[in-house]
């Protein structure tokens, strides 16, 4: 029995479909037949720069939603036939872009019945990364997740850079749920401002405000500056002046999503760098928490889904579009 696997032949090279044996799950693993997969910025970076690729050819893709094909020993929460959404921890020949991929049990959650496979696949990495940036980076407690180890006063004001990104809009709604009365300032193109306010942002500015801290500060409580910055897109690496928006006598928390290797954290504030894996490492129940929040209507789709193709053969063309998206998540149906 065999499946089709989409392999990127080499860095920047063409993709080819290869016939390979059906994968078998090891203990603690789940094999899933995806019905939809996401196209993420990291897929493009992996293909173009080999950012997180050790050897070529390589199977890319880090998110998918579909049907459980088989489960390994000691897997108790899922069985064949279950509808699930998964974050796929890649290795050379394991990635989402194939007929059946393998995922760790902690990276799989039941697909909420209210969501299509296309919607479900779009949620995962943005949620995990945003949750890590909020809980680990800003030490804010999100109900249902492990509490951060902190005794500090609750944050009253946060600046979210890149609010219309998948991670940024997920972070805004998590922050609003956790801190109902906080001031949340964000940056994005104006087309998304109404949506970001509906998710919980207090004030929205164009991206250009990242170079004009006076505007951002003026929107903070008493115009003193913000307690914390959550940078969802690496904007502060290009516009470090934005740090001046931090209140001079505040906690100066700075939570940065890892957007590429080699970024150094500033030392004069409480800085943390996070990715999606940080959340699974911190709280292995994080994925289950997402499914519960969605089912209870407490977590909305952070960005719209744009289904840009059907079938593995449409992955390569879709990768060319992913670095130009604005407020959407690209998804392929399988
Ligand atoms: N390390 C990890 O585990 C991990 C996990 C997830 C994501 N990431 C990284 O985090 C970043 C965000 O991922 P994503 O999927 O959320 O991205 P995305 O939705 O594809 O990002 C596109 C959005 O980012 C906004 N944006 C881009 N550059 C900006 C800037 N300089 N200032 C303000 N806004 C900016 C754009 O806003 P406008 O069009 O409105 O201007 C656009 O809506 C990516 O670099 C991704 O690789 C890392």
């Amino acid at each position: 029995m065999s499946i089709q696997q989409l392999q990127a032949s080499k860095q920047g090279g063409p993709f080819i479909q290869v016939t390979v044996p059906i994968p078998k799950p090891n203990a603690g693993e789940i094999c899933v037949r995806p019905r939809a997969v996401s196209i993420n910025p990291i897929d493009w970076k992996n293909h173009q720069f080999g950012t997180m690729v050790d050897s070529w050819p390589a199977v890319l893709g880090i998110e998918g939603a579909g049907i459980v094909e088989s489960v390994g020993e000691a897997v108790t929460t899922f069985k064949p036939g279950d509808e699930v959404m998964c974050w796929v921890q890649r290795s050379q020949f394991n990635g989402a872009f194939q007929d059946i991929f393998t995922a760790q049990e902690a990276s799989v959650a039941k697909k909420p019945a209210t969501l299509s496979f296309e919607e479900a696949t779009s949620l995962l990495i943005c949620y995990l990364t945003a949750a890590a940036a909020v809980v680990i980076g800003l030490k804010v407690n999100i109900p249902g997740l492990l509490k951060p180890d902190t005794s500090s006063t609750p944050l009253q004001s946060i600046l979210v850079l890149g609010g219309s990104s998948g991670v940024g809009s997920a972070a805004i709604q998590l922050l609003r749920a956790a801190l109902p009365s906080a001031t949340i300032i964000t940056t994005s193109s104006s087309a998304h401002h109404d949506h970001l306010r509906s998710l919980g942002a207090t004030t929205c500015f164009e991206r250009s405000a990242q170079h004009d801290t006076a505007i951002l500060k003026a929107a903070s409580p008493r115009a003193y500056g913000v307690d914390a910055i959550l940078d969802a897109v690496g904007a502060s690496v290009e516009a470090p002046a934005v740090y001046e928006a931090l209140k001079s006598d505040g906690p100066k928390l700075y939570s940065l999503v890892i957007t590429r290797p080699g970024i150094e954290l500033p030392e004069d504030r409480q800085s943390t760098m996070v990715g999606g894996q940080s959340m699974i490492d911190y709280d292995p129940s994080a994925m289950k928490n997402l499914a519960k929040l969605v089912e209870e209507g407490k977590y909305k789709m952070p960005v719209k889904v744009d289904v840009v193709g059907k079938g593995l053969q449409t992955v390569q063309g879709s990768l060319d579009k992913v670095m130009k998206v604005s407020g959407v998540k690209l998804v392929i149906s399988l």
Side-chain angles (χ1 to χ4, degrees), residues 40-42 45 125-126 129 162 164-168 187-189 192 207 210 232-233 235 257-259 274-277 322 325-329:
N40 276 291
I42 188 62
K45 294 174 197 177
I125 190 70
C126 295
T129 311
S164 62
S165 66
V167 177
T187 55
S188 85
S189 48
H192 306 302
R207 194 194 284 203
Q210 291 162 184
V233 292
V257 169
I258 304 168
T259 55
V274 293
Q277 182 66 44
V322 74
V325 303
S326 180
V328 293
K329 173 74 99 174

PDB file of all heavy atoms in Angstrom, residues 40-42 45 125-126 129 162 164-168 187-189 192 207 210 232-233 235 257-259 274-277 322 325-329, ligand 1:
ATOM      1  N   ASN A  40       2.011  28.235   5.179  1.00  0.00           N
ATOM      2  CA  ASN A  40       2.509  29.196   6.173  1.00  0.00           C
ATOM      3  C   ASN A  40       3.776  29.882   5.693  1.00  0.00           C
ATOM      4  O   ASN A  40       4.521  29.322   4.869  1.00  0.00           O
ATOM      5  CB  ASN A  40       2.823  28.450   7.480  1.00  0.00           C
ATOM      6  CG  ASN A  40       1.585  28.270   8.332  1.00  0.00           C
ATOM      7  OD1 ASN A  40       1.049  29.236   8.860  1.00  0.00           O
ATOM      8  ND2 ASN A  40       1.113  27.034   8.443  1.00  0.00           N
ATOM      9  N   PRO A  41       4.075  31.072   6.267  1.00  0.00           N
ATOM     10  CA  PRO A  41       5.334  31.741   5.905  1.00  0.00           C
ATOM     11  C   PRO A  41       6.557  30.832   6.086  1.00  0.00           C
ATOM     12  O   PRO A  41       7.474  30.869   5.273  1.00  0.00           O
ATOM     13  CB  PRO A  41       5.392  32.937   6.865  1.00  0.00           C
ATOM     14  CG  PRO A  41       3.963  33.235   7.198  1.00  0.00           C
ATOM     15  CD  PRO A  41       3.251  31.916   7.175  1.00  0.00           C
ATOM     16  N   ILE A  42       6.533  29.957   7.117  1.00  0.00           N
ATOM     17  CA  ILE A  42       7.713  29.106   7.352  1.00  0.00           C
ATOM     18  C   ILE A  42       7.896  28.106   6.206  1.00  0.00           C
ATOM     19  O   ILE A  42       9.037  27.699   5.904  1.00  0.00           O
ATOM     20  CB  ILE A  42       7.639  28.386   8.730  1.00  0.00           C
ATOM     21  CG1 ILE A  42       8.958  27.665   9.055  1.00  0.00           C
ATOM     22  CG2 ILE A  42       6.506  27.404   8.779  1.00  0.00           C
ATOM     23  CD1 ILE A  42      10.155  28.516   9.188  1.00  0.00           C
ATOM     24  N   LYS A  45       9.832  30.006   3.729  1.00  0.00           N
ATOM     25  CA  LYS A  45      11.216  30.216   4.207  1.00  0.00           C
ATOM     26  C   LYS A  45      12.001  28.902   4.160  1.00  0.00           C
ATOM     27  O   LYS A  45      13.185  28.889   3.813  1.00  0.00           O
ATOM     28  CB  LYS A  45      11.202  30.763   5.646  1.00  0.00           C
ATOM     29  CG  LYS A  45      10.593  32.162   5.753  1.00  0.00           C
ATOM     30  CD  LYS A  45      10.455  32.597   7.220  1.00  0.00           C
ATOM     31  CE  LYS A  45       9.498  33.754   7.360  1.00  0.00           C
ATOM     32  NZ  LYS A  45       9.280  34.177   8.755  1.00  0.00           N
ATOM     33  N   ILE A 125      -1.126  26.826  14.327  1.00  0.00           N
ATOM     34  CA  ILE A 125       0.178  27.422  14.630  1.00  0.00           C
ATOM     35  C   ILE A 125       0.010  28.864  15.114  1.00  0.00           C
ATOM     36  O   ILE A 125       0.743  29.329  15.991  1.00  0.00           O
ATOM     37  CB  ILE A 125       1.149  27.306  13.423  1.00  0.00           C
ATOM     38  CG1 ILE A 125       2.564  27.698  13.821  1.00  0.00           C
ATOM     39  CG2 ILE A 125       0.697  28.109  12.237  1.00  0.00           C
ATOM     40  CD1 ILE A 125       3.239  26.735  14.722  1.00  0.00           C
ATOM     41  N   CYS A 126      -0.995  29.555  14.564  1.00  0.00           N
ATOM     42  CA  CYS A 126      -1.233  30.938  15.010  1.00  0.00           C
ATOM     43  C   CYS A 126      -1.632  30.949  16.479  1.00  0.00           C
ATOM     44  O   CYS A 126      -1.143  31.768  17.269  1.00  0.00           O
ATOM     45  CB  CYS A 126      -2.336  31.597  14.192  1.00  0.00           C
ATOM     46  SG  CYS A 126      -1.892  31.787  12.486  1.00  0.00           S
ATOM     47  N   THR A 129       1.388  29.835  18.793  1.00  0.00           N
ATOM     48  CA  THR A 129       2.432  30.860  18.861  1.00  0.00           C
ATOM     49  C   THR A 129       1.931  32.082  19.630  1.00  0.00           C
ATOM     50  O   THR A 129       2.652  32.645  20.468  1.00  0.00           O
ATOM     51  CB  THR A 129       2.875  31.256  17.431  1.00  0.00           C
ATOM     52  OG1 THR A 129       3.145  30.062  16.708  1.00  0.00           O
ATOM     53  CG2 THR A 129       4.100  32.125  17.444  1.00  0.00           C
ATOM     54  N   GLY A 162       1.778  44.114  14.221  1.00  0.00           N
ATOM     55  CA  GLY A 162       1.339  43.138  13.218  1.00  0.00           C
ATOM     56  C   GLY A 162       0.029  42.483  13.610  1.00  0.00           C
ATOM     57  O   GLY A 162      -0.122  41.269  13.512  1.00  0.00           O
ATOM     58  N   SER A 164      -2.829  42.254  12.181  1.00  0.00           N
ATOM     59  CA  SER A 164      -3.627  41.543  11.168  1.00  0.00           C
ATOM     60  C   SER A 164      -2.996  40.231  10.739  1.00  0.00           C
ATOM     61  O   SER A 164      -3.583  39.494   9.946  1.00  0.00           O
ATOM     62  CB  SER A 164      -3.814  42.434   9.935  1.00  0.00           C
ATOM     63  OG  SER A 164      -2.540  42.723   9.366  1.00  0.00           O
ATOM     64  N   SER A 165      -1.804  39.917  11.245  1.00  0.00           N
ATOM     65  CA  SER A 165      -1.215  38.602  10.933  1.00  0.00           C
ATOM     66  C   SER A 165      -2.010  37.540  11.682  1.00  0.00           C
ATOM     67  O   SER A 165      -2.732  37.852  12.642  1.00  0.00           O
ATOM     68  CB  SER A 165       0.253  38.568  11.372  1.00  0.00           C
ATOM     69  OG  SER A 165       0.342  38.666  12.786  1.00  0.00           O
ATOM     70  N   GLY A 166      -1.868  36.292  11.250  1.00  0.00           N
ATOM     71  CA  GLY A 166      -2.567  35.212  11.951  1.00  0.00           C
ATOM     72  C   GLY A 166      -2.200  35.193  13.419  1.00  0.00           C
ATOM     73  O   GLY A 166      -3.072  35.096  14.299  1.00  0.00           O
ATOM     74  N   VAL A 167      -0.899  35.309  13.714  1.00  0.00           N
ATOM     75  CA  VAL A 167      -0.452  35.276  15.116  1.00  0.00           C
ATOM     76  C   VAL A 167      -0.949  36.518  15.860  1.00  0.00           C
ATOM     77  O   VAL A 167      -1.428  36.433  16.992  1.00  0.00           O
ATOM     78  CB  VAL A 167       1.095  35.184  15.193  1.00  0.00           C
ATOM     79  CG1 VAL A 167       1.553  35.237  16.645  1.00  0.00           C
ATOM     80  CG2 VAL A 167       1.594  33.902  14.528  1.00  0.00           C
ATOM     81  N   GLY A 168      -0.846  37.688  15.221  1.00  0.00           N
ATOM     82  CA  GLY A 168      -1.228  38.942  15.883  1.00  0.00           C
ATOM     83  C   GLY A 168      -2.700  38.969  16.231  1.00  0.00           C
ATOM     84  O   GLY A 168      -3.086  39.354  17.347  1.00  0.00           O
ATOM     85  N   THR A 187      -1.026  47.552  15.313  1.00  0.00           N
ATOM     86  CA  THR A 187      -0.679  48.123  14.008  1.00  0.00           C
ATOM     87  C   THR A 187      -1.049  47.137  12.906  1.00  0.00           C
ATOM     88  O   THR A 187      -0.800  45.933  13.030  1.00  0.00           O
ATOM     89  CB  THR A 187       0.830  48.412  13.907  1.00  0.00           C
ATOM     90  OG1 THR A 187       1.551  47.203  14.203  1.00  0.00           O
ATOM     91  CG2 THR A 187       1.264  49.506  14.869  1.00  0.00           C
ATOM     92  N   SER A 188      -1.641  47.662  11.841  1.00  0.00           N
ATOM     93  CA  SER A 188      -1.949  46.854  10.651  1.00  0.00           C
ATOM     94  C   SER A 188      -2.437  47.815   9.579  1.00  0.00           C
ATOM     95  O   SER A 188      -2.700  48.984   9.872  1.00  0.00           O
ATOM     96  CB  SER A 188      -3.057  45.841  10.944  1.00  0.00           C
ATOM     97  OG  SER A 188      -4.328  46.434  10.779  1.00  0.00           O
ATOM     98  N   SER A 189      -2.621  47.305   8.364  1.00  0.00           N
ATOM     99  CA  SER A 189      -3.225  48.177   7.351  1.00  0.00           C
ATOM    100  C   SER A 189      -4.680  48.450   7.738  1.00  0.00           C
ATOM    101  O   SER A 189      -5.330  47.627   8.398  1.00  0.00           O
ATOM    102  CB  SER A 189      -3.099  47.566   5.957  1.00  0.00           C
ATOM    103  OG  SER A 189      -3.492  46.235   5.977  1.00  0.00           O
ATOM    104  N   HIS A 192      -8.055  46.289   8.002  1.00  0.00           N
ATOM    105  CA  HIS A 192      -8.332  45.280   9.035  1.00  0.00           C
ATOM    106  C   HIS A 192      -8.733  45.890  10.377  1.00  0.00           C
ATOM    107  O   HIS A 192      -8.963  45.150  11.329  1.00  0.00           O
ATOM    108  CB  HIS A 192      -7.098  44.387   9.225  1.00  0.00           C
ATOM    109  CG  HIS A 192      -6.619  43.768   7.960  1.00  0.00           C
ATOM    110  ND1 HIS A 192      -7.417  42.963   7.180  1.00  0.00           N
ATOM    111  CD2 HIS A 192      -5.428  43.866   7.308  1.00  0.00           C
ATOM    112  CE1 HIS A 192      -6.742  42.582   6.114  1.00  0.00           C
ATOM    113  NE2 HIS A 192      -5.537  43.119   6.159  1.00  0.00           N
ATOM    114  N   ARG A 207       0.729  50.670   9.952  1.00  0.00           N
ATOM    115  CA  ARG A 207       2.071  50.158  10.239  1.00  0.00           C
ATOM    116  C   ARG A 207       3.107  51.281  10.379  1.00  0.00           C
ATOM    117  O   ARG A 207       4.091  51.157  11.101  1.00  0.00           O
ATOM    118  CB  ARG A 207       2.454  49.249   9.071  1.00  0.00           C
ATOM    119  CG  ARG A 207       3.614  48.373   9.287  1.00  0.00           C
ATOM    120  CD  ARG A 207       4.094  47.804   7.985  1.00  0.00           C
ATOM    121  NE  ARG A 207       3.265  46.725   7.461  1.00  0.00           N
ATOM    122  CZ  ARG A 207       3.726  45.835   6.607  1.00  0.00           C
ATOM    123  NH1 ARG A 207       4.982  45.883   6.208  1.00  0.00           N
ATOM    124  NH2 ARG A 207       2.956  44.893   6.125  1.00  0.00           N
ATOM    125  N   GLN A 210       4.747  52.503  13.653  1.00  0.00           N
ATOM    126  CA  GLN A 210       5.871  51.808  14.303  1.00  0.00           C
ATOM    127  C   GLN A 210       7.155  52.645  14.248  1.00  0.00           C
ATOM    128  O   GLN A 210       8.087  52.396  14.980  1.00  0.00           O
ATOM    129  CB  GLN A 210       6.092  50.436  13.637  1.00  0.00           C
ATOM    130  CG  GLN A 210       4.957  49.467  13.937  1.00  0.00           C
ATOM    131  CD  GLN A 210       4.854  48.265  13.020  1.00  0.00           C
ATOM    132  OE1 GLN A 210       3.919  47.491  13.153  1.00  0.00           O
ATOM    133  NE2 GLN A 210       5.759  48.101  12.089  1.00  0.00           N
ATOM    134  N   ALA A 232       4.307  40.229  16.782  1.00  0.00           N
ATOM    135  CA  ALA A 232       3.879  38.994  16.117  1.00  0.00           C
ATOM    136  C   ALA A 232       4.599  38.758  14.800  1.00  0.00           C
ATOM    137  O   ALA A 232       4.561  37.647  14.267  1.00  0.00           O
ATOM    138  CB  ALA A 232       2.373  39.055  15.868  1.00  0.00           C
ATOM    139  N   VAL A 233       5.256  39.788  14.258  1.00  0.00           N
ATOM    140  CA  VAL A 233       5.793  39.669  12.892  1.00  0.00           C
ATOM    141  C   VAL A 233       7.265  40.076  12.756  1.00  0.00           C
ATOM    142  O   VAL A 233       7.772  40.197  11.644  1.00  0.00           O
ATOM    143  CB  VAL A 233       4.944  40.530  11.909  1.00  0.00           C
ATOM    144  CG1 VAL A 233       3.543  39.966  11.739  1.00  0.00           C
ATOM    145  CG2 VAL A 233       4.875  41.980  12.366  1.00  0.00           C
ATOM    146  N   ALA A 235       8.431  42.997  13.530  1.00  0.00           N
ATOM    147  CA  ALA A 235       8.470  44.393  13.087  1.00  0.00           C
ATOM    148  C   ALA A 235       9.505  45.210  13.860  1.00  0.00           C
ATOM    149  O   ALA A 235      10.150  46.099  13.302  1.00  0.00           O
ATOM    150  CB  ALA A 235       7.089  45.032  13.243  1.00  0.00           C
ATOM    151  N   VAL A 257       7.887  36.975  18.548  1.00  0.00           N
ATOM    152  CA  VAL A 257       7.734  35.709  17.828  1.00  0.00           C
ATOM    153  C   VAL A 257       8.970  35.505  16.945  1.00  0.00           C
ATOM    154  O   VAL A 257       9.422  36.436  16.271  1.00  0.00           O
ATOM    155  CB  VAL A 257       6.444  35.753  16.973  1.00  0.00           C
ATOM    156  CG1 VAL A 257       6.378  34.573  16.018  1.00  0.00           C
ATOM    157  CG2 VAL A 257       5.221  35.798  17.878  1.00  0.00           C
ATOM    158  N   ILE A 258       9.506  34.303  16.965  1.00  0.00           N
ATOM    159  CA  ILE A 258      10.699  34.016  16.147  1.00  0.00           C
ATOM    160  C   ILE A 258      10.279  33.981  14.679  1.00  0.00           C
ATOM    161  O   ILE A 258       9.489  33.128  14.265  1.00  0.00           O
ATOM    162  CB  ILE A 258      11.306  32.644  16.524  1.00  0.00           C
ATOM    163  CG1 ILE A 258      11.616  32.593  18.015  1.00  0.00           C
ATOM    164  CG2 ILE A 258      12.548  32.342  15.692  1.00  0.00           C
ATOM    165  CD1 ILE A 258      11.932  31.199  18.531  1.00  0.00           C
ATOM    166  N   THR A 259      10.789  34.915  13.907  1.00  0.00           N
ATOM    167  CA  THR A 259      10.433  34.961  12.486  1.00  0.00           C
ATOM    168  C   THR A 259      11.570  34.488  11.589  1.00  0.00           C
ATOM    169  O   THR A 259      11.355  34.200  10.418  1.00  0.00           O
ATOM    170  CB  THR A 259      10.035  36.392  12.073  1.00  0.00           C
ATOM    171  OG1 THR A 259      11.105  37.267  12.437  1.00  0.00           O
ATOM    172  CG2 THR A 259       8.775  36.840  12.775  1.00  0.00           C
ATOM    173  N   VAL A 274       9.586  33.494  21.338  1.00  0.00           N
ATOM    174  CA  VAL A 274       8.771  32.272  21.372  1.00  0.00           C
ATOM    175  C   VAL A 274       8.400  31.811  19.968  1.00  0.00           C
ATOM    176  O   VAL A 274       8.390  32.585  19.012  1.00  0.00           O
ATOM    177  CB  VAL A 274       7.439  32.494  22.147  1.00  0.00           C
ATOM    178  CG1 VAL A 274       7.681  32.747  23.614  1.00  0.00           C
ATOM    179  CG2 VAL A 274       6.630  33.619  21.514  1.00  0.00           C
ATOM    180  N   GLY A 275       8.070  30.525  19.882  1.00  0.00           N
ATOM    181  CA  GLY A 275       7.488  29.945  18.669  1.00  0.00           C
ATOM    182  C   GLY A 275       6.363  29.014  19.095  1.00  0.00           C
ATOM    183  O   GLY A 275       6.082  28.877  20.293  1.00  0.00           O
ATOM    184  N   GLY A 276       5.743  28.350  18.134  1.00  0.00           N
ATOM    185  CA  GLY A 276       4.633  27.454  18.447  1.00  0.00           C
ATOM    186  C   GLY A 276       5.050  26.316  19.365  1.00  0.00           C
ATOM    187  O   GLY A 276       4.318  25.936  20.286  1.00  0.00           O
ATOM    188  N   GLN A 277       6.247  25.764  19.136  1.00  0.00           N
ATOM    189  CA  GLN A 277       6.714  24.641  19.949  1.00  0.00           C
ATOM    190  C   GLN A 277       6.834  25.038  21.423  1.00  0.00           C
ATOM    191  O   GLN A 277       6.625  24.216  22.319  1.00  0.00           O
ATOM    192  CB  GLN A 277       8.076  24.147  19.421  1.00  0.00           C
ATOM    193  CG  GLN A 277       8.661  22.955  20.153  1.00  0.00           C
ATOM    194  CD  GLN A 277       7.837  21.671  19.972  1.00  0.00           C
ATOM    195  OE1 GLN A 277       7.407  21.353  18.865  1.00  0.00           O
ATOM    196  NE2 GLN A 277       7.602  20.954  21.056  1.00  0.00           N
ATOM    197  N   VAL A 322       2.373  33.334  -0.376  1.00  0.00           N
ATOM    198  CA  VAL A 322       2.194  33.395   1.073  1.00  0.00           C
ATOM    199  C   VAL A 322       2.857  34.605   1.725  1.00  0.00           C
ATOM    200  O   VAL A 322       2.383  35.090   2.751  1.00  0.00           O
ATOM    201  CB  VAL A 322       2.641  32.075   1.751  1.00  0.00           C
ATOM    202  CG1 VAL A 322       4.146  31.938   1.781  1.00  0.00           C
ATOM    203  CG2 VAL A 322       2.080  31.972   3.163  1.00  0.00           C
ATOM    204  N   VAL A 325       0.405  37.906   1.725  1.00  0.00           N
ATOM    205  CA  VAL A 325      -0.964  37.919   2.242  1.00  0.00           C
ATOM    206  C   VAL A 325      -1.164  39.056   3.238  1.00  0.00           C
ATOM    207  O   VAL A 325      -0.209  39.544   3.844  1.00  0.00           O
ATOM    208  CB  VAL A 325      -1.358  36.582   2.928  1.00  0.00           C
ATOM    209  CG1 VAL A 325      -1.206  35.423   1.988  1.00  0.00           C
ATOM    210  CG2 VAL A 325      -0.594  36.370   4.224  1.00  0.00           C
ATOM    211  N   SER A 326      -2.420  39.459   3.386  1.00  0.00           N
ATOM    212  CA  SER A 326      -2.774  40.499   4.347  1.00  0.00           C
ATOM    213  C   SER A 326      -4.080  40.095   4.997  1.00  0.00           C
ATOM    214  O   SER A 326      -5.132  40.107   4.354  1.00  0.00           O
ATOM    215  CB  SER A 326      -2.917  41.837   3.603  1.00  0.00           C
ATOM    216  OG  SER A 326      -3.256  42.853   4.512  1.00  0.00           O
ATOM    217  N   GLY A 327      -3.990  39.670   6.255  1.00  0.00           N
ATOM    218  CA  GLY A 327      -5.196  39.330   7.005  1.00  0.00           C
ATOM    219  C   GLY A 327      -5.919  38.091   6.516  1.00  0.00           C
ATOM    220  O   GLY A 327      -7.122  37.968   6.750  1.00  0.00           O
ATOM    221  N   VAL A 328      -5.217  37.165   5.844  1.00  0.00           N
ATOM    222  CA  VAL A 328      -5.828  35.887   5.468  1.00  0.00           C
ATOM    223  C   VAL A 328      -4.840  34.756   5.695  1.00  0.00           C
ATOM    224  O   VAL A 328      -3.634  34.981   5.785  1.00  0.00           O
ATOM    225  CB  VAL A 328      -6.271  35.822   3.974  1.00  0.00           C
ATOM    226  CG1 VAL A 328      -7.391  36.761   3.677  1.00  0.00           C
ATOM    227  CG2 VAL A 328      -5.096  36.028   3.034  1.00  0.00           C
ATOM    228  N   LYS A 329      -5.371  33.546   5.768  1.00  0.00           N
ATOM    229  CA  LYS A 329      -4.536  32.349   5.837  1.00  0.00           C
ATOM    230  C   LYS A 329      -4.787  31.533   4.575  1.00  0.00           C
ATOM    231  O   LYS A 329      -5.940  31.247   4.230  1.00  0.00           O
ATOM    232  CB  LYS A 329      -4.927  31.551   7.081  1.00  0.00           C
ATOM    233  CG  LYS A 329      -4.271  30.223   7.204  1.00  0.00           C
ATOM    234  CD  LYS A 329      -2.816  30.333   7.590  1.00  0.00           C
ATOM    235  CE  LYS A 329      -2.614  30.111   9.051  1.00  0.00           C
ATOM    236  NZ  LYS A 329      -1.217  30.076   9.446  1.00  0.00           N
TER     237      LYS A 329
HETATM  238  N1  LIG B   1       8.659  30.407  15.259  1.00  0.00           N
HETATM  239  C1  LIG B   1       7.435  29.901  15.123  1.00  0.00           C
HETATM  240  O1  LIG B   1       7.103  28.811  15.646  1.00  0.00           O
HETATM  241  C2  LIG B   1       6.426  30.676  14.329  1.00  0.00           C
HETATM  242  C3  LIG B   1       5.100  30.259  14.314  1.00  0.00           C
HETATM  243  C4  LIG B   1       4.164  31.010  13.590  1.00  0.00           C
HETATM  244  C5  LIG B   1       4.594  32.116  12.873  1.00  0.00           C
HETATM  245  N2  LIG B   1       5.905  32.462  12.895  1.00  0.00           N
HETATM  246  C6  LIG B   1       6.355  33.628  12.143  1.00  0.00           C
HETATM  247  O2  LIG B   1       5.598  34.731  12.614  1.00  0.00           O
HETATM  248  C7  LIG B   1       5.317  35.635  11.552  1.00  0.00           C
HETATM  249  C8  LIG B   1       3.804  35.819  11.491  1.00  0.00           C
HETATM  250  O3  LIG B   1       3.214  34.600  11.024  1.00  0.00           O
HETATM  251  P1  LIG B   1       1.721  34.625  10.492  1.00  0.00           P
HETATM  252  O4  LIG B   1       1.390  33.297   9.950  1.00  0.00           O
HETATM  253  O5  LIG B   1       0.862  35.215  11.535  1.00  0.00           O
HETATM  254  O6  LIG B   1       1.914  35.654   9.299  1.00  0.00           O
HETATM  255  P2  LIG B   1       0.922  36.241   8.222  1.00  0.00           P
HETATM  256  O7  LIG B   1      -0.477  36.240   8.719  1.00  0.00           O
HETATM  257  O8  LIG B   1       1.186  35.570   6.934  1.00  0.00           O
HETATM  258  O9  LIG B   1       1.502  37.727   8.146  1.00  0.00           O
HETATM  259  C9  LIG B   1       0.992  38.637   7.217  1.00  0.00           C
HETATM  260  C10 LIG B   1       0.511  39.857   7.975  1.00  0.00           C
HETATM  261  O10 LIG B   1       1.626  40.437   8.667  1.00  0.00           O
HETATM  262  C11 LIG B   1       1.502  41.826   8.680  1.00  0.00           C
HETATM  263  N3  LIG B   1       2.865  42.388   8.670  1.00  0.00           N
HETATM  264  C12 LIG B   1       3.926  41.907   7.984  1.00  0.00           C
HETATM  265  N4  LIG B   1       5.020  42.654   8.247  1.00  0.00           N
HETATM  266  C13 LIG B   1       4.630  43.624   9.117  1.00  0.00           C
HETATM  267  C14 LIG B   1       5.281  44.697   9.760  1.00  0.00           C
HETATM  268  N5  LIG B   1       6.583  44.950   9.552  1.00  0.00           N
HETATM  269  N6  LIG B   1       4.571  45.481  10.586  1.00  0.00           N
HETATM  270  C15 LIG B   1       3.259  45.245  10.809  1.00  0.00           C
HETATM  271  N7  LIG B   1       2.579  44.249  10.207  1.00  0.00           N
HETATM  272  C16 LIG B   1       3.245  43.450   9.384  1.00  0.00           C
HETATM  273  C17 LIG B   1       0.707  42.190   7.432  1.00  0.00           C
HETATM  274  O11 LIG B   1      -0.111  43.254   7.797  1.00  0.00           O
HETATM  275  P3  LIG B   1      -0.843  44.300   6.830  1.00  0.00           P
HETATM  276  O12 LIG B   1      -1.018  43.639   5.499  1.00  0.00           O
HETATM  277  O13 LIG B   1      -2.133  44.616   7.511  1.00  0.00           O
HETATM  278  O14 LIG B   1       0.075  45.499   6.752  1.00  0.00           O
HETATM  279  C18 LIG B   1      -0.103  40.899   7.107  1.00  0.00           C
HETATM  280  O15 LIG B   1      -1.458  40.989   7.473  1.00  0.00           O
HETATM  281  C19 LIG B   1       5.921  35.010  10.292  1.00  0.00           C
HETATM  282  O16 LIG B   1       7.206  35.573  10.094  1.00  0.00           O
HETATM  283  C20 LIG B   1       6.045  33.538  10.649  1.00  0.00           C
HETATM  284  O17 LIG B   1       7.084  32.879   9.942  1.00  0.00           O
HETATM  285  C21 LIG B   1       6.829  31.781  13.610  1.00  0.00           C
END
